[in-house]
Amino acid sequence: MSLWKIIIEALLTLVHILTDRLLEFTLGWYLGPHKRVATPQSIDQQVILTKSAVDLAKQIRERQLKSYDIVKAYIERIEIVNVELNAVVDGPFTEALEQAKQIDKKLAENAYTEEQLKALPFLGVPFTTKDSTAVAGKRHTLGLQSRKDERAKEDAKCVRLMKESGAIIIATSNVPEVNKWIESRNMLIGCTKNPYDLRRSVGGSSGGEAALIAACSTGFGLGTDIGGSIRIPSFNCGIFGHKPSSGVVNMAGCTFRTGKEKQTMVCAGPMSRNATDLRPILQVLVEPEQRSVLKLSQPVDLKRLRYFYVPNIGMKQCNPINRETERVMYKVRSHFKSLCGQEVALASIPETQLTAKMWRYWMTQEPANFNLLLGNGVELNPFIELFKKLLGQSEYSMAAIYSLIDSVLPKEKESVICTASQKCKQYLQQLLGDNGVLFFHSSPRTAPFHYYPLVKFSDFSYFSLFNVLHLPATQVPMGLDVNGMPLGIQVVANDKNDRLCLAVAEELERVFGGWVPPFSLKK
């Protein structure tokens, strides 16, 4: 490397650091003092709210807890914390209490056979999903003022499957307009706030979902992910989230998808406070023909896996990795070295410096027209919308207008991007094989203040790379930083090797503790 190149890179790093600190100082001053979400009202409520979905289901089946009491506790929690979080679009649904009451009645009467109970793994457990995923009869706005009164005619396939597993839907959660931004803000509902610091971003697009889960306002949630939309909010809010391999979960009813799309980066997947919930939820969601391919029930011997890591993505537009984030990677590498008796190997993935360009190109190949989605069927002019925004007359957020402007900018070179994408994917396919796992930073830094992404947004490329490559990735919480914000790491495997990601996530939860409550626990 030449001296001039070293000097330029050092100056660029300095600019990133100074800009980051200036934004942190300015936005921190503007948004006021730090405040967290409220603590549960009682120890009894806290005990229920902090249990895993799997534990709740088990205790309902064994009649140690009543579904009614669980649903009631979560509904009461939503009513308290949503005043601060602004995460709910529709709900809580009071009819959920009647559904829970009927489940308890049937259990008391032994009306379920053993075979029926086996087919209802989440019987009586409350869950939520993002507003863009259809729930029959409920608001389906996609964050648009033009859709404020729209209601879904039928359930999305993933919602229907969860209901058929016995789970009870209790609310839908906030998203950015048509899911296309890394902060959950729109002009209809407003901005969703982070339970760990109400001044900070929950991420997007499944941001309302992550906020509710982290704040113990739902048993678990369903998200969708086209550029990090499960994993960014999961990281920002300190929970677990899994982006499955492409095509294993039917997308019908998610942001108007039909489920018949042959080539798409978007996936639906589980979000939870507990790693041990992810696998059983995914087992409910996967298409029947994919079950034998995924082998989710097959045990994973962690000592026989091969482990790799990448120190950074190599994009000059991204923030440099900060020290606390580097320490997370060091702790993970140290643990798996001691577990397996060999070093976690350094991987040099080619072309990752083009990640932002790759994702931008592949978004243009998606079956959905995001301009038309944003206009609710009407083609929008980005410059007219920008002018209206400057006059305070636009019904769209600045982030949505960014996306509109991006749609008229020069396109990426198809040959360059296709070659880079293929080269990157082939390298990882050969590197990981059927028993390899990659540790990848979630982000160079923890959740930023609201509005920060309007200035610096490239860090989301750490997530979007795996949408481009159609690989499964699990977001794992790894404690809190000095500001009390969640740290984390991504666990990635080869296509259809989701079970490896999930097994490693469970091990990381066991060793490092997983989700940390955003409130003080009552004793």
Side-chain angles (χ1 to χ4, degrees):
M1 186 182 290
S2 69
L3 178 60
W4 279 113
K5 191 172 182 181
I6 293 172
I7 292 172
I8 290 169
E9 288 194 359
L11 287 173
L12 188 58
T13 298
L14 182 61
V15 169
H16 272 303
I17 292 170
L18 291 176
T19 305
D20 183 73
R21 290 184 179 178
L22 178 62
L23 286 169
E24 282 286 302
F25 174 79
T26 305
L27 292 171
W29 168 80
Y30 174 72
L31 294 167
H34 175 276
K35 186 181 178 184
R36 287 188 168 202
V37 74
T39 300
Q41 291 178 300
S42 67
I43 292 179
D44 288 343
Q45 188 186 60
Q46 177 181 286
V47 168
I48 290 174
L49 297 177
T50 54
K51 286 184 182 294
S52 72
V54 169
D55 283 345
L56 288 173
K58 182 175 184 290
Q59 292 191 299
I60 290 169
R61 284 194 304 273
E62 295 175 354
R63 300 184 214 170
Q64 296 173 14
L65 284 174
K66 289 188 175 182
S67 174
Y68 180 87
D69 293 334
I70 295 168
V71 172
K72 184 171 181 286
Y74 277 115
I75 285 177
E76 288 175 351
R77 178 69 174 164
I78 287 175
E79 289 172 341
I80 291 170
V81 303
N82 194 55
V83 175
E84 297 177 319
L85 298 181
N86 193 39
V88 173
V89 174
D90 201 2
F93 307 136
T94 53
E95 64 266 30
L97 290 168
E98 184 57 35
Q99 293 174 41
K101 193 180 293 184
Q102 291 303 314
I103 288 170
D104 291 332
K105 183 173 182 290
K106 290 182 73 173
L107 283 168
E109 294 170 350
N110 292 315
Y112 293 107
T113 66
E114 285 299 317
E115 192 172 313
Q116 286 175 323
L117 287 174
K118 191 175 180 181
L120 297 167
F122 290 98
L123 183 64
V125 178
F127 79 105
T128 49
T129 191
K130 61 199 294 187
D131 164 88
S132 55
T133 298
V135 178
K138 306 306 179 185
R139 293 181 76 188
H140 191 38
T141 71
L142 279 73
L144 302 176
Q145 289 189 352
S146 58
R147 292 184 56 84
K148 64 181 179 180
D149 297 320
E150 294 289 333
R151 293 185 176 270
K153 292 181 173 61
E154 59 184 9
D155 288 328
K157 178 76 177 289
C158 56
V159 171
R160 178 169 64 79
L161 290 172
M162 286 315 313
K163 287 182 175 181
E164 289 174 357
S165 78
I168 301 172
I169 185 83
I170 59 170
T172 60
S173 58
N174 200 26
V175 296
E177 290 115 320
V178 300
N179 288 342
K180 202 180 176 186
W181 190 240
I182 51 176
E183 186 168 16
S184 294
R185 174 194 302 276
N186 57 63
M187 301 297 285
L188 178 63
I189 304 299
C191 179
T192 298
K193 298 173 184 177
N194 195 307
Y196 293 85
D197 184 343
L198 301 181
R199 304 170 300 171
R200 293 189 182 269
S201 172
V202 293
S205 62
S206 308
E209 204 56 32
L212 290 175
I213 295 167
C216 295
S217 303
T218 180
F220 66 93
L222 300 181
T224 59
D225 193 315
I226 198 170
S229 294
I230 286 174
R231 292 160 292 141
I232 296 170
S234 294
F235 168 66
N236 283 11
C237 295
I239 63 170
F240 292 87
H242 181 67
K243 182 199 87 68
S245 298
S246 292
V248 303
V249 178
N250 191 297
M251 294 302 297
C254 299
T255 323
F256 303 131
R257 296 299 174 105
T258 65
K260 298 177 182 178
E261 293 83 5
K262 295 191 181 298
Q263 187 69 16
T264 178
M265 294 188 291
V266 72
C267 306
M271 302 170 71
S272 178
R273 291 179 294 276
N274 301 88
T276 49
D277 286 340
L278 299 180
R279 188 193 308 262
I281 297 170
L282 187 59
Q283 285 175 318
V284 170
L285 298 177
V286 295
E287 291 287 89
E289 65 272 15
Q290 296 289 345
R291 289 172 188 163
S292 61
V293 179
L294 292 180
K295 303 174 185 174
L296 291 174
S297 299
Q298 182 175 302
V300 175
D301 186 348
L302 296 174
K303 293 181 180 180
R304 298 178 70 87
L305 299 183
R306 297 174 300 116
Y307 299 97
F308 304 90
Y309 80 101
V310 172
N312 63 72
I313 203 168
M315 277 178 55
K316 307 303 182 195
Q317 307 96 306
C318 293
N319 280 310
I321 303 292
N322 69 22
R323 289 184 180 180
E324 288 184 281
T325 302
E326 285 181 338
R327 279 199 291 272
V328 168
M329 183 67 81
Y330 176 77
K331 288 194 296 184
V332 170
R333 288 169 54 201
S334 297
H335 172 69
F336 282 92
K337 177 185 176 182
S338 64
L339 181 70
C340 303
Q342 58 184 4
E343 293 282 353
V344 174
L346 175 66
S348 299
I349 307 173
E351 310 295 355
T352 56
Q353 76 279 5
L354 296 176
T355 297
K357 292 177 178 291
M358 288 192 283
W359 185 79
R360 182 171 181 259
Y361 167 79
W362 288 113
M363 282 296 286
T364 67
Q365 306 304 301
E366 285 291 318
N369 182 319
F370 288 93
N371 187 310
L372 283 177
L373 282 177
L374 193 63
N376 199 24
V378 177
E379 190 83 27
L380 299 174
N381 184 308
F383 302 107
I384 290 175
E385 290 304 324
L386 178 60
F387 183 67
K388 287 164 67 177
K389 188 69 178 177
L390 295 174
L391 295 177
Q393 299 298 312
S394 177
E395 61 183 59
Y396 303 105
S397 70
M398 196 66 224
I401 294 171
Y402 273 16
S403 293
L404 286 175
I405 293 171
D406 179 67
S407 69
V408 298
L409 294 178
K411 308 300 181 188
E412 303 298 340
K413 291 184 179 179
E414 183 172 5
S415 60
V416 172
I417 297 304
C418 289
T419 300
S421 302
Q422 188 64 19
K423 191 175 179 181
C424 189
K425 187 164 187 174
Q426 284 180 348
Y427 173 87
L428 276 175
Q429 284 177 333
Q430 293 171 7
L431 178 76
L432 298 177
D434 287 330
N435 67 341
V437 168
L438 174 70
F439 296 116
F440 206 82
H441 287 299
S442 301
S443 176
R445 50 153 299 154
T446 51
F449 285 119
H450 299 303
Y451 307 112
Y452 180 106
L454 291 172
V455 180
K456 300 189 76 174
F457 52 81
S458 294
D459 290 350
F460 91 99
S461 296
Y462 276 82
F463 298 96
S464 65
L465 175 63
F466 302 109
N467 296 91
V468 168
L469 302 177
H470 298 271
L471 297 180
T474 305
Q475 173 58 42
V476 178
M478 290 290 294
L480 307 180
D481 71 0
V482 291
N483 295 316
M485 297 306 297
L487 294 157
I489 199 162
Q490 291 184 88
V491 181
V492 183
N494 232 335
D495 187 37
K496 306 300 189 290
N497 277 342
D498 299 59
R499 71 184 187 282
L500 304 187
C501 300
L502 300 174
V504 171
E506 289 175 17
E507 172 69 3
L508 289 170
E509 179 182 45
R510 184 188 68 80
V511 174
F512 296 105
W515 169 74
V516 178
F519 46 78
S520 299
L521 291 173
K522 294 180 182 290
K523 297 181 180 179

